[in-house]
Amino acid sequence: MPEPFAKSDFGPHFVWGISTASFQTEGAHDKDGKGHSIWDVFSTQKGAIANNHTAKIACDFYHKYQEDIRLLKAMNIPHFRFSLSWSRILPQGTGKINKRGVSFYNKVIDCCLQHGITPWVTLYHWDLPHTLQLKGGWTNREILEWFGQYAEVCATLFGDRVKHWMVMNEPMVFTGAGYFLGVHAPGKKGMRHFLPAVHHAQLCQAIGGRILRNSVAGASIGTTYSCSFIEPKNTSKRHKKAALRVDALLNRMFLEPVLGLGYPIEDLPVLNRLQPYIQPTDMRDSCFDFDFIGIQNYTREIVRHSCLVPYVGARLIPAPQRGVATTLMDWEVFPPSIYEMIKKYNGYKNIPRILITENGSAFPDKVQQGRVEDAARTAYLQDHLAQVLRAKQEGLSVHGYFVWTFTDNFEWAEGYHPRFGLVHVDFDTQKRIIKRSGQWYASFLGQ
Ligand code: NOJ
């Protein structure tokens, strides 16, 4: 079935790209002077990752970057979002720069530029240097200093060629999963870890933004947020209030302080507990006028009131229990969610530009006669793009779309089982096969 829209419907300046992250793709975990990150340590602990997978090799992007960037070119993808590994550049987190790590990113950036591909760089996509975690990681206020140094080093080293920057990737996820639930690195649990981690990550968004603005001439600076359309189980008052609390937690907690609105304490009173960590000028210092905000959307959530869940008094009703279509992650396939999130974030006065910096899906792919016929992924992408276009046609700010992700990669606690790529990877041989969805995206972009 032909898709109901053309690339030109999005206008000539719409940014089309694809997103990846250092830890999920690079491998070469101890190569050329790289220090360990919290994910190197966490993912080698028995039982931490499904099937005890590790990312020691991952997609071996460290060695295959030239081939992969050529593949991006062949797929007509003009913008490539990737992240820098802090511990490859500063093995101890601060102090001495690892020249060989820097040289790797110089080669990646130069290779993109040689192929006419624009690099979009995320400073922090969850792989904190392990040495910093030994000092408390995100719970230690000294991270303001450490992160500032790291941002400065990256801006100085790469800012001559990289003009599109994102400070952070999904701070709600790395603080929630890593410092509250303990299911992501560094595996910490409870409010005493979560609250300081949240506040320090909050401040670092703005610190990173200011450093990039001062050090990189002509930079466009953003940061990215995970977000899902939240709906109550039904219209009863308690479910609606529960949905409001979850929305404040998942969709607003990191964004609103940046915009000068403070933490959404009124709707989520437990955030009052952040007070002990907030110093007098912190809320002012949390503000930064980003050039763009990246929305990362995959699904929607249905919420019900629950006295059994501490702090939020709410729980998410898992999609499989609701009998709806899901991806391999058990996330509901609900394309209007992306439209609703674009609309919601457009409701804030001072967000100048919104881009979709991630959207994609994992489905059970099969290689058959050298091909991957992943019709469900193509449909997912087309249906979400139709909703992005709907937002755009209503005059909402949305200026770009990046698919998650390029090659199948290490999906954090789920290991290699969920495949999100437009390109299939055989992790034994590192052979790449462009899936049918990748062929579709390539021909769509080639229009
Ligand atoms: C968001 C994260 O940024 C990315 O690292 C992850 O793989 C995708 N979501 C899919 O879960």
Side-chain angles (χ1 to χ4, degrees), residues 24 125-126 169-170 296 298 329 331 358 404 411-412 420:
Q24 295 179 270
H125 199 128
W126 308 354
N169 184 73
E170 300 192 349
Q296 314 204 147
Y298 290 85
M329 300 292 282
W331 297 343
E358 285 185 25
W404 183 269
E411 178 55 24
W412 308 113
F420 278 85

Side-chain angles (χ1 to χ4, degrees), residues 97-170:
I97 296 174
N98 176 29
K99 287 202 183 113
R100 286 175 296 172
V102 171
S103 148
F104 167 65
Y105 290 116
N106 276 330
K107 287 186 286 190
V108 170
I109 293 164
D110 291 343
C111 187
C112 285
L113 295 172
Q114 277 154 21
H115 286 85
I117 293 170
T118 308
W120 290 59
V121 170
T122 312
L123 279 181
Y124 186 74
H125 199 128
W126 308 354
D127 41 357
L128 185 75
H130 176 60
T131 44
L132 300 183
Q133 184 54 41
L134 295 176
K135 299 180 199 164
W138 286 100
T139 66
N140 185 338
R141 194 171 165 106
E142 280 180 60
I143 197 147
L144 273 52
E145 188 58 37
W146 306 331
F147 189 75
Q149 277 182 33
Y150 168 58
E152 189 75 62
V153 165
C154 296
T156 312
L157 290 171
F158 309 119
D160 57 333
R161 288 150 296 151
V162 176
K163 299 298 176 188
H164 297 86
W165 292 88
M166 282 141 289
V167 176
M168 271 188 197
N169 184 73
E170 300 192 349

Side-chain angles (χ1 to χ4, degrees), residues 56-271:
K56 291 182 177 173
I57 300 174
C59 317
D60 203 20
F61 180 74
Y62 192 79
H63 297 107
K64 295 179 85 76
Y65 72 91
Q66 287 170 306
E67 182 191 324
D68 281 351
I69 292 169
R70 277 199 299 273
L71 195 56
L72 284 175
K73 180 73 189 166
M75 291 171 72
N76 302 318
I77 296 173
H79 298 271
F80 179 35
R81 172 178 177 237
F82 57 92
S83 74
L84 306 175
S85 156
W86 187 340
S87 64
R88 211 180 272 296
I89 295 170
L90 295 166
Q92 299 302 313
T94 57
K96 202 165 177 309
I97 296 174
N98 176 29
K99 287 202 183 113
R100 286 175 296 172
V102 171
S103 148
F104 167 65
Y105 290 116
N106 276 330
K107 287 186 286 190
V108 170
I109 293 164
D110 291 343
C111 187
C112 285
L113 295 172
Q114 277 154 21
H115 286 85
I117 293 170
T118 308
W120 290 59
V121 170
T122 312
L123 279 181
Y124 186 74
H125 199 128
W126 308 354
D127 41 357
L128 185 75
H130 176 60
T131 44
L132 300 183
Q133 184 54 41
L134 295 176
K135 299 180 199 164
W138 286 100
T139 66
N140 185 338
R141 194 171 165 106
E142 280 180 60
I143 197 147
L144 273 52
E145 188 58 37
W146 306 331
F147 189 75
Q149 277 182 33
Y150 168 58
E152 189 75 62
V153 165
C154 296
T156 312
L157 290 171
F158 309 119
D160 57 333
R161 288 150 296 151
V162 176
K163 299 298 176 188
H164 297 86
W165 292 88
M166 282 141 289
V167 176
M168 271 188 197
N169 184 73
E170 300 192 349
M172 182 55 221
V173 176
F174 78 77
T175 54
Y179 287 85
F180 183 72
L181 298 172
V183 295
H184 276 191
K188 302 290 178 200
K189 285 186 188 159
M191 289 299 249
R192 74 191 171 93
H193 294 113
F194 179 63
L195 293 170
V198 164
H199 187 57
H200 301 146
Q202 177 66 255
L203 284 159
C204 283
Q205 299 181 110
I207 290 173
R210 279 191 285 275
I211 287 170
L212 289 165
R213 173 116 344 123
N214 291 336
S215 312
V216 184
S220 173
I221 303 158
T223 197
T224 76
Y225 297 114
S226 48
C227 59
S228 300
F229 183 44
I230 308 286
E231 291 193 284
K233 180 177 177 238
N234 60 37
T235 54
S236 90
K237 211 165 160 193
R238 61 196 196 121
H239 294 317
K240 277 165 101 175
K241 280 185 128 179
L244 204 62
R245 290 194 293 276
V246 171
D247 182 56
L249 179 70
L250 299 186
N251 295 330
R252 299 165 51 199
M253 186 173 69
F254 278 96
L255 171 68
E256 293 189 358
V258 165
L259 303 176
L261 302 170
Y263 287 110
I265 291 174
E266 230 170 83
D267 290 328
L268 186 60
V270 69
L271 295 182

